Amino acid sequence: MPMTDNSAGKTGATPEGVRARDRLALLTADNAAVPLPAGVQAITAILLAVLLIALPWLGLGYRFLSIAITTLYTAIGLYGLGLQFGQAGIMSVGHAALMGVGAYASAILSVQLGLGFWTSLPFAMALSAIVGGVIGLPTLRVGGQHYIIITFCFCALFVIVLTNGGTFTGSATGLDVGSVTPLPGINFDKLSNNYYLVLAALFLALAATYLIGISRYGRTLRAIRENEQLARSVGINVDLHKLGVLMVSGLFAGLAGVLQLYYLRHISPTLFGAFPSLYLALMVMLGGARYLYGPLIGAVVVNFLPEVLNLDPVDSRIAYGVCLLLVILLLPGGVGAGIKNICCAIRGGSETQVGGSNGRA
Amino acid sequence: MDIFVQQLVNSLSVASVTILIGIGITLIFGLAGIVNFAHGEFLMVGGMATWFMVGAGMNFFVALVLAGLLVGALGFAAERCLFRFTLNRPMNGFIMSIGLSVILQHAVIRVFNEFQKSITDPVGLVWTIGGVDIIAMRAIVVAVTAVIVAITYFGISRSRYGMALRASVSDRDTAELMGIPVRRYVTGVFIYGSLLAGIGGALMISLFPITPFTGSVIIIRGFAVSLIGGLGNVGGAVVGGLVLGLVDGLSAGYGYPEWTDAYSLVVMILILVLRPQGLLGGTLGRKAS
């Protein structure tokens, strides 16, 4: 199987897999063991930051900015999912429920106790993290597909609980909140200011993901992903790390959920049910969970594609499904891996992955 | 008492559909090693195809067979084009099946619409036995399911094909060395499971209306049934279907009907955590080689 020269990764594929991938070997090779030179990384980051900050001034209209906000808070949630799936190898198809925990915690605090955005945010994030850890308890016993089915069940259960929660959770109609408490001189009712609020949170999420990726902690997580028994035998506390990363993922989800709540001003159970969860899983697979910009790419593609192609909701969902199949069959590492491989082909180097790693999830 | 017997027949007919989808999942998950999340959509497609054919003036029982064959062909296509590439990466196969279920669901909405569809009772008879009214169609549904269960059970446990299949699950390499075409068996199991989903869909629409979203609801019950019974265990799936049907019936009658869906979810989470191989023992799925 042709592999790029700096490929540290064994793809772990048996003959069938090899044949399927051989056709697009260049695009699909998983060869990001060595991070890019710091300069290139920095330039990419700066260009991206400038583009995102300048977005509201490009005069693209109200609708565009609304979709951009949706994309960004989705991406924050995706960075949590990307962390647990890409680094620790724990996939979930119930992640929207975790965002829902944050959103509902914040909304209930607002309705019952009158807490505003800033005061309820820490509580909501903490609760999401705790719930993330609790939902993660089964990972200590079962893995892989079984755990995915469990997360799906939790997500469905969460919606049932919300729907039967009476006035406390607002039942099927949901809850309303006011706007974000203004900071001195900044009124978040203005859409572009709301955008910057979400963008700041996204930068936090990106920075956290990057730091975790290059840290000892990230390496430990990847060791668990690659070989749990081996990790255990060299003295890594696997159970604690698994729960830990799921709690960090919950923090991200809580933040995303609260931002979603205060952008929409109204939440209902269907926002956090099976379908949104499946789309989160789709986005993270599409973008590539192991790449620093993968989740962001996934969110951008899924949120903007229907707009660009002018698809109605039914067609766009069919298109998502087809994209997902194509990505898994042709680009198991996601679009992020594809972009990286194109860069490699051009530079003969290797693009940035969150830390270095080999193999695939 | 009369009402109880009537309820029993009704619950049995509903449980039949659940058992059919449960058997499909238990075979595909337990023996072929594929978690097909689109299995519920296969059932829905079978029901929709039946609705279309009956609407076009076809006899229901002909439509039932055709729907089974159609969904079997759909399963063949899905296995050949998609799942055979992910046999060694079950996680990717699982995610792909989610994509497939989204596609099928919305393709049906695109072709027809998202409203619920129903057909008139194709038999239209009511038998009165000892003062109990039994709708003939419901009895037929139970009978068809019983026949299918019997065929599947003896096919897996007694025939040489079933034996070869079980051999290839327990040790793929040795089975291949013994000349068993393991890949072909995987395809065969997938097609058979899909065929059962198609028949299940046809039977379902003869009982109550279905919508394009029915599949994503019933898939959870299907997984619950197959996990209660133990993966790859046909008899277990029957027990699981009956238990779940009973729990649902009781909770609807005596408990909190709005929590009905929650019971099967909680049961499933508990089983997955405590006994991942299923309550009654099973194969734990094909080991990734």
Side-chain angles (χ1 to χ4, degrees), chain B residues 172-190:
Chain B
R172 179 176 175 158
D173 292 339
T174 312
E176 268 178 338
L177 287 172
M178 296 294 136
I180 296 171
V182 174
R183 299 297 303 275
R184 215 173 290 166
Y185 272 93
V186 169
T187 313
V189 166
F190 199 89

Side-chain angles (χ1 to χ4, degrees), chain B:
Chain B
M1 185 60 200
D2 292 356
I3 293 173
F4 178 75
V5 175
Q6 232 160 306
Q7 280 285 342
L8 199 69
V9 175
N10 287 350
S11 319
L12 262 182
S13 63
V14 177
S16 297
V17 177
T18 318
I19 289 171
L20 278 182
I21 192 160
I23 290 179
I25 290 174
T26 211
L27 292 179
I28 292 176
F29 193 173
L31 299 181
I34 299 169
V35 182
N36 182 12
F37 209 76
H39 202 76
E41 265 60 42
F42 282 18
L43 178 124
M44 182 271 293
V45 168
M48 289 293 171
T50 311
W51 168 79
F52 181 73
M53 288 188 275
V54 169
M58 195 180 281
N59 178 287
F60 170 77
F61 294 96
V62 180
L64 177 129
V65 174
L66 285 180
L69 293 177
L70 174 83
V71 177
L74 182 66
F76 179 61
E79 206 277 338
R80 271 300 144 100
C81 303
L82 304 174
F83 293 108
R84 69 176 322 180
F85 297 112
T86 58
L87 282 184
N88 299 299
R89 305 189 154 277
M91 282 273 272
N92 284 359
F94 180 78
I95 306 277
M96 211 158 58
S97 73
I98 292 174
L100 184 62
S101 92
V102 171
I103 294 175
L104 285 176
Q105 208 171 73
H106 290 89
V108 167
I109 295 176
R110 169 61 61 236
V111 175
F112 302 123
N113 52 45
E114 74 252 46
F115 304 116
Q116 66 173 30
K117 318 237 173 327
S118 57
I119 59 174
T120 50
D121 188 333
V123 181
L125 279 178
V126 178
W127 296 328
T128 310
I129 301 168
V132 183
D133 289 339
I134 293 172
I135 299 165
M137 191 58 223
R138 293 188 175 244
I140 291 173
V141 168
V142 176
V144 170
T145 307
V147 170
I148 289 176
V149 166
I151 293 173
T152 314
Y153 181 77
F154 287 109
I156 299 283
S157 63
R158 295 284 189 278
S159 78
R160 59 188 292 250
Y161 300 106
M163 193 187 276
L165 185 62
R166 282 179 289 129
S168 66
V169 173
S170 56
D171 189 339
R172 179 176 175 158
D173 292 339
T174 312
E176 268 178 338
L177 287 172
M178 296 294 136
I180 296 171
V182 174
R183 299 297 303 275
R184 215 173 290 166
Y185 272 93
V186 169
T187 313
V189 166
F190 199 89
I191 295 174
Y192 185 69
S194 308
L195 189 123
L196 294 190
I199 293 175
L203 294 177
M204 193 170 175
I205 201 168
S206 75
L207 297 178
F208 32 75
I210 64 174
T211 76
F213 305 106
T214 303
S216 46
V217 179
I218 198 126
I219 184 77
I220 290 296
R221 308 178 58 78
F223 273 117
V225 165
S226 59
L227 287 165
I228 291 172
L231 294 173
N233 184 341
V234 176
V238 175
V239 176
L242 292 176
V243 168
L244 206 62
L246 204 67
V247 169
D248 280 0
L250 287 178
S251 71
Y254 305 101
Y256 304 90
E258 69 270 24
W259 292 95
T260 302
D261 290 331
Y263 296 138
S264 54
L265 293 170
V266 172
V267 166
M268 217 160 113
I269 292 172
L270 288 178
I271 292 175
L272 277 169
V273 173
L274 301 175
R275 274 185 74 81
Q277 74 275 32
L279 264 190
L280 304 178
T283 65
L284 235 191
R286 182 184 291 274
K287 290 160 208 75
S289 49

